[in-house]
Amino acid sequence: MIEPPIPFDETCRLQSLHSMRILDTEPEERFDRITRLAKRVFGVPIALVSLVDGHRQWFKSRQGLDVRETPREISFCGHAIAQGELLVVENAAVDPRFRDNPLVKGAPRIRFYAGCPVRAPNGSALGTLCVIDTSPREFPEEDRTLLRELSSMIEDELFSLTKASTDDLTGLSNRRGFRTIATHVLSVCKRSASPAVAVLMDLDGFKQINDTYGHPEGDRVLKDFAATLLKTFRDSDVVARLGGDEFCVLLTGPEHTDITRALLRFQEGLDARHAPGKPPILFSAGMAHYDPEKHADVDALLVAVDEQMYERKRERKLRSQAAS
């Protein structure tokens, strides 16, 4: 048996999956009707909507299978998302990737598998719509086309979920999406005793930009701010627009000096985007180190970092007044 490889965009892929808040939710008719249709039109005993998490594949919809999840390392769908395109296995019993797989040697005794990746709006493969048979079979081109079409229907349903957790203007996670992803991240940090730091950023003078130059210019500033955040921080950092001109980054593992340097690089990136004749993009920032004893949840951590940011703003205002 060959375990499925890890996709190149694994961090982004998992962030997209977790932001949807779909894992471990109850079955829904909008997904079940598509798997019922797939099972019927392809004449197979099993049809699934499989979402591949960090260490498991979990079934949002399942027809003909009792279990809700299986380990990722034995999943056929893990191979499909890593491949990034429709995966067809006509006879798993003779395929070197799967012939020793527990799902082939034991229940449900998979022989035929066809899985089409289901993607998030950002292109990351979250899982598959797959059909399974206990007997080997061929899968002609017209069947492949139909499976792709059914997969796109699953993507449409997932997109409606994504809209609720993504900021339309910047494409970053919104407050709801951030809360979901950060909850997963902090849970891992707590179990592994790994450090995490939240950085809250607030644009300086943003209302004046809108009042002086108009809301289109304000939108441009927000989009530039978001794009610079993504360019400056690591793929593993959680970046979000919490609302208005307030942004947040959750970093795991860095030391305080690393964050300080990152904020300097971030300001340099903003300076490079400065439009001639327009005011520079400036910001205030606060940070708080995650402490499981003090921060019971994500909201408690956000309160702590919010207080720290406004304390820095107050100190800077006092220094400015004293200098004048």
Side-chain angles (χ1 to χ4, degrees):
M1 186 189 84
I2 300 175
E3 292 188 9
I6 300 300
F8 72 95
D9 63 341
E10 180 71 354
T11 298
C12 178
R13 192 189 72 78
L14 289 176
Q15 287 185 0
S16 297
L17 176 59
H18 293 158
S19 70
M20 291 183 177
R21 304 179 68 181
I22 192 173
L23 293 171
D24 300 309
T25 57
E26 294 299 314
E28 296 181 60
E29 174 61 22
R30 56 179 167 177
F31 296 106
D32 288 345
R33 66 172 176 261
I34 300 173
T35 49
R36 288 197 300 267
L37 176 61
K39 181 181 176 183
R40 183 171 71 251
V41 298
F42 293 116
V44 294
I46 300 172
L48 307 166
V49 173
S50 171
L51 300 175
V52 181
D53 200 2
H55 301 287
R56 60 172 175 159
Q57 63 171 353
W58 176 81
F59 307 123
K60 175 59 181 173
S61 179
R62 53 199 168 97
Q63 308 295 329
L65 192 67
D66 292 331
V67 299
R68 293 299 304 271
E69 63 183 58
T70 61
R72 179 175 178 173
E73 61 265 23
I74 64 172
S75 68
F76 283 60
C77 297
H79 285 271
I81 66 167
Q83 178 174 295
E85 57 188 26
L86 179 67
L87 172 65
V88 176
V89 181
E90 295 185 344
N91 187 355
V94 299
D95 190 308
R97 295 170 294 179
F98 305 109
R99 60 192 177 197
D100 296 326
N101 189 299
L103 302 176
V104 175
K105 299 181 70 175
R109 298 195 177 278
I110 297 174
R111 292 298 179 268
F112 167 79
Y113 169 92
C116 185
V118 171
R119 300 185 182 279
N122 65 5
S124 295
L126 306 179
T128 72
L129 171 64
C130 65
V131 291
I132 294 169
D133 204 341
T134 54
S135 301
R137 60 184 289 177
E138 296 180 347
F139 204 57
E141 187 57 39
E142 56 267 31
D143 286 348
R144 298 176 187 226
T145 299
L146 178 55
L147 186 60
R148 292 188 182 98
E149 292 173 354
L150 293 176
S151 175
S152 69
M153 294 171 62
I154 298 293
E155 291 177 346
D156 290 342
E157 298 296 346
L158 290 175
F159 178 72
S160 67
L161 295 176
T162 305
K163 291 290 286 183
S165 58
T166 302
D167 176 57
D168 287 337
L169 179 66
T170 64
L172 301 180
S173 293
N174 59 19
R175 182 177 291 270
R176 177 184 178 184
F178 175 80
R179 184 182 288 113
T180 300
I181 301 172
T183 297
H184 286 277
V185 171
L186 295 183
S187 177
V188 171
C189 289
K190 183 177 181 179
R191 291 198 305 269
S192 62
S194 299
V197 180
V199 181
L200 189 65
M201 283 168 274
D202 187 270
L203 274 77
D204 294 337
F206 183 67
K207 182 178 184 302
Q208 184 179 357
I209 292 175
N210 275 330
D211 292 345
T212 305
Y213 300 98
H215 288 282
E217 175 62 17
D219 287 348
R220 183 195 67 79
V221 169
L222 291 172
K223 288 189 283 189
D224 281 355
F225 199 87
T228 308
L229 280 173
L230 292 175
K231 185 176 181 180
T232 303
F233 292 91
R234 304 170 304 177
D235 290 341
S236 57
D237 299 328
V238 184
V239 181
R241 180 189 179 198
L242 300 185
D245 60 348
E246 191 175 67
F247 294 77
C248 189
V249 183
L250 180 63
L251 306 93
T252 55
E255 297 296 330
H256 184 277
T257 52
D258 293 329
I259 299 173
T260 302
R261 284 197 294 267
L263 290 176
L264 289 173
R265 291 198 307 273
F266 177 60
Q267 184 63 67
E268 291 170 357
L270 291 176
D271 293 342
R273 289 176 174 268
H274 181 215
K278 301 295 173 64
I281 305 174
L282 303 174
F283 67 96
S284 298
M287 65 185 73
H289 292 261
Y290 171 58
D291 183 345
E293 299 298 322
K294 296 180 180 179
H295 309 126
D297 54 23
V298 174
D299 289 334
L301 181 60
L302 286 176
V303 168
V305 72
D306 187 66
E307 291 175 349
Q308 210 267 357
M309 183 185 73
Y310 278 97
E311 177 61 23
R312 288 195 171 188
K313 275 195 168 188
R314 188 184 70 84
E315 292 174 353
R316 189 174 61 186
K317 183 177 181 180
L318 290 175
R319 288 195 300 269
S320 176
Q321 290 174 346
S324 60

